[in-house]
Amino acid sequence: MRDIHEPDISRAASDAVSLHAQTLHASLGDASMESMTLLNEIAGTYPDAISFAAGRPYEGFYDVEQIHAYLREFCAHLRGDLGMSEAAVARALFQYGDTKGIIAGLVARSLAVDEGIEADPASVVVTVGCQEAMFLVLRALRAGDRDALLAPSPTYVGLTGAALLADLPVLPVRTGETGLDLDDLSARLRQARAAGRRVRACYVTPDFANPVGVSLSLADRRRLLDLAEAEDLLLLEDNAYGLLNTAPERPPTLKALDRHQRVVYLGSFAKTGMPGARVGYVVAGQRVTGGRGGSVLLADELSKIKSMLTVNTPPIAQAVIGGKLLAHGCSMAAANRREAEVYRRNLDHVRDGLRRRLGHCPGVTWNAPTGGFFLVVTVPFTVDDELLAYAARRHGVLFTPMHHFYGSTAGHHQLRLSISTLTPDRIEEGLDRLAALVTERLPRA
Amino acid sequence: MRDIHEPDISRAASDAVSLHAQTLHASLGDASMESMTLLNEIAGTYPDAISFAAGRPYEGFYDVEQIHAYLREFCAHLRGDLGMSEAAVARALFQYGDTKGIIAGLVARSLAVDEGIEADPASVVVTVGCQEAMFLVLRALRAGDRDALLAPSPTYVGLTGAALLADLPVLPVRTGETGLDLDDLSARLRQARAAGRRVRACYVTPDFANPVGVSLSLADRRRLLDLAEAEDLLLLEDNAYGLLNTAPERPPTLKALDRHQRVVYLGSFAKTGMPGARVGYVVAGQRVTGGRGGSVLLADELSKIKSMLTVNTPPIAQAVIGGKLLAHGCSMAAANRREAEVYRRNLDHVRDGLRRRLGHCPGVTWNAPTGGFFLVVTVPFTVDDELLAYAARRHGVLFTPMHHFYGSTAGHHQLRLSISTLTPDRIEEGLDRLAALVTERLPRA
């Protein structure tokens, strides 16, 4: 009865059904969903171009044996610290696990060590990257057509995408020199409410925000929390880059300053652990009242959504991240000392290089992040995807046109440079190429 | 400025904000979302009870060293078969990867070897378990309020949950002795269309469906495909259990019989690879036309959604499953010979044990799956969550009340027995306990 040669794909193709795009979910018709695909395609077409586009961590210290070592470290922890039998250790890695994760306790310890955040492990849900954490929160918060989210413009495309998938409109808030413009936030909030919107939260990345790279001051963090309290607003704090900082002092996260559970904290180990584990998390200690189960943690509601989305974050991936945490005293800051030095050095190098090459060019400026992966260059000519394709083809250099982070409504004279994956030599060569493009496009004096 | 002792959680708790359940997404108010949590809580309260409830694979052969071996096997494949440098191998495991997955080619090979399905690797999206695959497809297919999905009743709770998250109503189709009742399917489809519904697809598990355990005959598979063709209906085929079959012959999957791209195939390595890797996939070779990008594969649209949901399936987890495939000639059937024997032996053992203990009891019957993890027992008394709690407490035995798979609209005299994790001794003891419960509840003659 069974014959592996039975199917004949060439015949099947002849009169196969097709679906019309308009019968699919509206998110698929939105240009934001295609930004990354399009940019990856251009990058893939020019593999030898020097890329200031990839927002990936530095890979110079990668070694596959680390993965084995981290797994062994985590298993030793299960046996030694938690007293598990060999069968229980195997079960923890092989089987389905708790929906909220098997490393929630280690995550909470790392938050205390690295961020001064005292999080109850019960309020932590370990997710498939920070991206799943965003979707869980936005899905939970979207109850009806009036609901909306505030977010800075420009913003991380993953936030835009998750909101599209959750059918939750995003209302833009202006970004100032040091991040979210709080006056504009107040104005937008009032405006939205006057229009009948229910604003469920404001998304914000206080540290080295993607794409602009700047950070909110301590004073603005306190002001933002006061504003949230006064206006009864929830804040979604995304902290993917905060630890990649070699400065001796940095302001505490919003969550560390939060006294009233105003902040849902979105964490990521993509930049500090490894992207290939896809481990992130959300801290949601807010109470949810009036439901079937009485008063429960928002984390438990998010966990229910997760159980129907991915069931668990892969225990194997959690084990690798857990092992990396254990190997460094639960401090991802400690685990990333070398990488943070690389990022700082690269950031300085790119800024110095821009000054030397383009410092004299009228209308060419760049901002001054003190850490993270990104900085933004403003130029007096149009930066679109055609220019990117031209730059890749003609000059062998890649960057990200900023309009992608504005839903194409602005940013048409800006480009984002990512400094995270490059070496000094490649930066020098890349900036030569970028400068050639810029000078070629500058208006003649 | 930075002080890790600064936050004071006890103070924060005093006047913390809370959210009202009615302001959250409607799915969170649905009992289906809580079924698994509730059942897990009962199981957690009675850890010494013998569990016929857990739908987890057999763990008697687990060994943590296998994970290391599979990772090494996959890396050897990247080096040897694909000629990657050591840096490229590390990058493949550590970094973000292609959204559609790094083992799509191996998955396609395994489909050819194990199922006789000739799938273009470009039509494969590797997902975080089959659960994410379900959500991707339902999210894509839900474009408006008229849209609905047909699915058998009873059905897998993960399907119900994914549909709730996608705001897609599920219209139930009767389940007959051997699975989906095709006459009822036709009737329901016509009924739904007459009521103005746009039926996007019908979900079906032809092999050993959870929870009923039975399989569609070859004749019914062909009839279902003909019906789909005649009615212009898409089929979502879930095949989580098909390979766990020691019978010499089994009917081909719908996908293997599909000539017109009527079938979107949902695959899982949870039962055959390991649940802790959380690797599943979807095969979606359908064309989507009329969109921004011209004619594209449905797989590419699903990949766009995935890029905003989980970004990638963890490459580390894919590497472990890829290694297991490579170690067994890309055949998960070959990799699971021992486990399939265990399941078959357990299924026979449970059926024999039920006959010996309850064969004479009026009104007590059970169905006759030929493979998979589950069978269903019908009894002449009410089976609800209170009975389960009583059974756990008083008799030390766990099962799953079937009403959970009917959205509590039916199944109140049925229980699901899962046979996958037990040993013969535990089955004997567990059936003694179950029989004690059943005889205690039977009406006096």
Side-chain angles (χ1 to χ4, degrees), chain B residues 250 326 382:
Chain B
R250 66 179 176 103
L326 288 160
T382 300

Side-chain angles (χ1 to χ4, degrees), chain B residues 147-168:
Chain B
D147 292 332
L149 179 75
L150 290 166
S153 176
T155 201
Y156 171 51
V157 289
L159 185 272
T160 311
L164 282 166
L165 293 186
D167 297 314
L168 187 65

Side-chain angles (χ1 to χ4, degrees), chain A residues 142-148 167 169 197, chain B residues 145:
Chain A
R142 201 282 190 189
D145 291 340
R146 288 174 51 221
D147 292 333
D167 297 313
R197 289 284 193 188
Chain B
D145 291 339

Side-chain angles (χ1 to χ4, degrees), chain A residues 2 23 59 91 114 200, chain B residues 2 23 59 91 114 200 276:
Chain A
R2 193 153 174 65
T23 68
E59 50 195 43
R91 193 179 302 125
D114 279 335
R200 301 313 316 270
Chain B
R2 192 154 175 65
T23 69
E59 50 196 43
R91 192 179 303 125
D114 279 335
R200 301 313 315 270

Side-chain angles (χ1 to χ4, degrees), chain B residues 133-156:
Chain B
M134 276 185 206
F135 180 78
L136 295 180
V137 175
L138 300 188
R139 175 73 312 181
L141 291 178
R142 202 282 189 188
D145 291 339
R146 288 175 51 222
D147 292 332
L149 179 75
L150 290 166
S153 176
T155 201
Y156 171 51

Side-chain angles (χ1 to χ4, degrees), chain B residues 39 52-53 383 387-388 391 397-401 415-417 434 437:
Chain B
L39 296 170
F52 291 100
V383 180
L387 184 75
L388 170 61
V397 65
L398 294 165
F399 49 81
T400 309
L415 52 97
R416 185 192 76 174
L417 297 184
L434 185 71
L437 173 77

